[in-house]
Amino acid sequence: MYPIFPLNSVVFPKQQMNLTIFENRYLEMLDYCNQNENKFVTALIKTGHEVGDYAVPCSVGTLVSIKNIGNRTKLGIPISVVGLHRVEILSTNKKYKYLTGETRKYANDETINYEEYHLKIIRSNLTDVLSKMATISVTYEKQITIPKYGDELFLFTIGLVSNILGANLQEILREKKPDIQCVLLLKQIEMIKSSLTTKLTDHMSGDNLSNYN
């Protein structure tokens, strides 16, 4: 049984994420983790909110390991975590102020291999997206190094798509087949490209345009 931390975003295996723990219930959760395996489960919120009462998590989440705990500030305690592997949440328990749950491994994430064919398409489309963003927004960082291969490229794209679209990407997290994960991710990139193409046309025609967020 692991503590469950419901979020408005998802963490993928091997992905690193920074979180700030500030609610008393999650400070208690952090104390528990410190005394045990330094692991907890992150899961997208199905119903409810990050702050307040118990939220209902989606059935597939990610077991994460706490890599670093920072010093407490007025905002809370910053921590960094890294995804280990996906889990299926079989049941939840409200015995504590925070959720706990019985889980089982969802997929063999340690051996995931993304096909080079799909990665090349992702990288090409991603290059186009970043180029359009740099043209549209004067504040956007133009010099970004896109990883070339494997997990790094996939996770870099996941992070960028999540930041741009605010998408939860739960459908991709649930998918067990790497090739289909890539296809789903490409669909998200196409949504971004379509929006950027429209904004770029307006930009080139001289219309007022706010920075793309």
Side-chain angles (χ1 to χ4, degrees):
M1 182 174 290
Y2 288 104
I4 298 176
F5 192 18
L7 294 169
N8 284 322
S9 57
V10 298
V11 181
F12 281 76
K14 301 182 183 179
Q15 183 180 17
Q16 295 188 40
M17 181 174 285
N18 296 322
L19 302 169
T20 300
I21 308 298
F22 60 90
E23 284 191 85
N24 287 333
R25 56 178 173 167
Y26 293 126
L27 292 173
E28 289 184 18
M29 182 192 81
L30 192 58
D31 286 339
Y32 171 86
C33 291
N34 283 335
Q35 297 171 28
N36 291 276
E37 298 182 50
N38 264 341
K39 297 175 184 177
F40 61 89
V41 172
T42 62
L44 182 72
I45 294 173
K46 185 176 182 179
T47 58
H49 305 279
E50 282 188 340
V51 179
D53 201 1
Y54 294 104
V56 177
C58 290
S59 61
V60 175
T62 303
L63 181 67
V64 303
S65 175
I66 300 172
K67 307 306 292 182
N68 183 63
I69 300 177
N71 295 323
R72 187 165 188 170
T73 68
K74 292 181 179 180
L75 298 178
I77 298 179
I79 69 171
S80 62
V81 301
V82 61
L84 298 178
H85 60 77
R86 289 170 289 176
V87 296
E88 182 179 5
I89 299 173
L90 303 175
S91 64
T92 57
N93 191 306
K94 297 180 180 179
K95 179 179 178 180
Y96 305 102
K97 293 180 181 179
Y98 53 88
L99 281 177
T100 59
E102 293 288 347
T103 66
R104 68 182 174 197
K105 195 170 184 178
Y106 184 69
N108 191 18
D109 292 318
E110 292 84 354
T111 59
I112 284 182
N113 290 306
Y114 300 103
E115 291 186 13
E116 186 63 27
Y117 167 76
H118 287 121
L119 292 176
K120 285 182 178 179
I121 297 176
I122 287 175
R123 196 171 198 281
S124 175
N125 280 270
L126 198 57
T127 300
D128 191 26
V129 164
L130 292 177
S131 176
K132 284 182 169 63
M133 289 178 69
T135 301
I136 291 171
S137 174
V138 295
T139 63
Y140 193 79
E141 176 57 59
K142 296 184 179 182
Q143 299 299 322
I144 295 180
T145 301
I146 303 174
K148 292 183 178 180
Y149 308 107
D151 294 338
E152 282 188 64
L153 175 58
F154 183 83
L155 293 176
F156 175 87
T157 309
I158 284 288
L160 188 70
V161 169
S162 181
N163 288 335
I164 293 174
L165 292 181
N168 58 55
L169 305 183
Q170 180 69 16
E171 184 181 11
I172 300 176
L173 187 74
R174 286 182 59 90
E175 178 54 55
K176 291 184 178 181
K177 296 181 178 180
D179 56 336
I180 299 181
Q181 280 189 314
C182 289
V183 170
L184 293 173
L185 183 56
L186 279 167
K187 288 182 180 180
Q188 298 285 347
I189 298 173
E190 285 298 328
M191 289 175 59
I192 297 173
K193 286 182 65 176
S194 177
S195 175
L196 285 172
T197 298
T198 300
K199 290 178 181 291
L200 186 58
T201 300
D202 293 341
H203 179 74
M204 298 302 290
S205 66
D207 291 347
N208 291 329
L209 179 69
S210 60
N211 289 335
Y212 189 82
N213 295 315

